Amino acid sequence: MNVQQAAVLVRASLIRIHPIADQIARSFYEHLFDVTPPLRRLFTGDMNRQGKMLMTSLELAVSSLDDPESILPSVQALGERHVSYGVKAGYYPLAR
């Protein structure tokens, strides 16, 4: 499978999950907090809103698979915000 074929599959998958995006986001955070309970303290706001932001970020990333540099400023700003929230680099592998 080449990169273009993989991108097509990823886009198709995102379209298929769109109707249940809220459930997927909720499941993601439930799993994250189950495997790493201390991370829960970083999330003080409305988790439904947080889930929507997660899925919006995912949609942005998927829509930019052919031109990742186009979202670089947005991704850098997102990273800076996460640092200001207290997120450490070592937390990211926990979100798998």
Side-chain angles (χ1 to χ4, degrees), residues 10-26:
V10 168
R11 287 186 182 105
S13 296
L14 187 63
I15 290 167
R16 290 187 71 191
I17 67 164
H18 186 76
I20 58 167
D22 58 337
Q23 293 169 338
I24 290 171
R26 189 170 31 258

Side-chain angles (χ1 to χ4, degrees), residues 64 66-74:
S64 303
D66 295 324
D67 185 17
E69 286 88 25
S70 69
I71 64 167
L72 191 55
S74 296

Side-chain angles (χ1 to χ4, degrees), residues 39-92:
L39 292 186
R40 179 68 180 96
R41 68 176 173 74
L42 296 175
F43 296 87
T44 59
D46 177 354
M47 288 308 295
N48 288 324
R49 182 172 179 268
Q50 182 67 38
K52 290 183 188 320
M53 290 189 299
L54 172 68
M55 298 310 289
T56 297
S57 295
L58 182 60
E59 289 171 4
L60 175 64
V62 170
S63 71
S64 303
L65 287 173
D66 295 324
D67 185 17
E69 286 88 25
S70 69
I71 64 167
L72 191 55
S74 296
V75 172
Q76 287 173 325
L78 180 63
E80 290 170 5
R81 281 194 310 277
H82 279 76
V83 167
S84 75
Y85 303 146
V87 175
K88 309 276 189 246
Y91 296 166
Y92 289 102

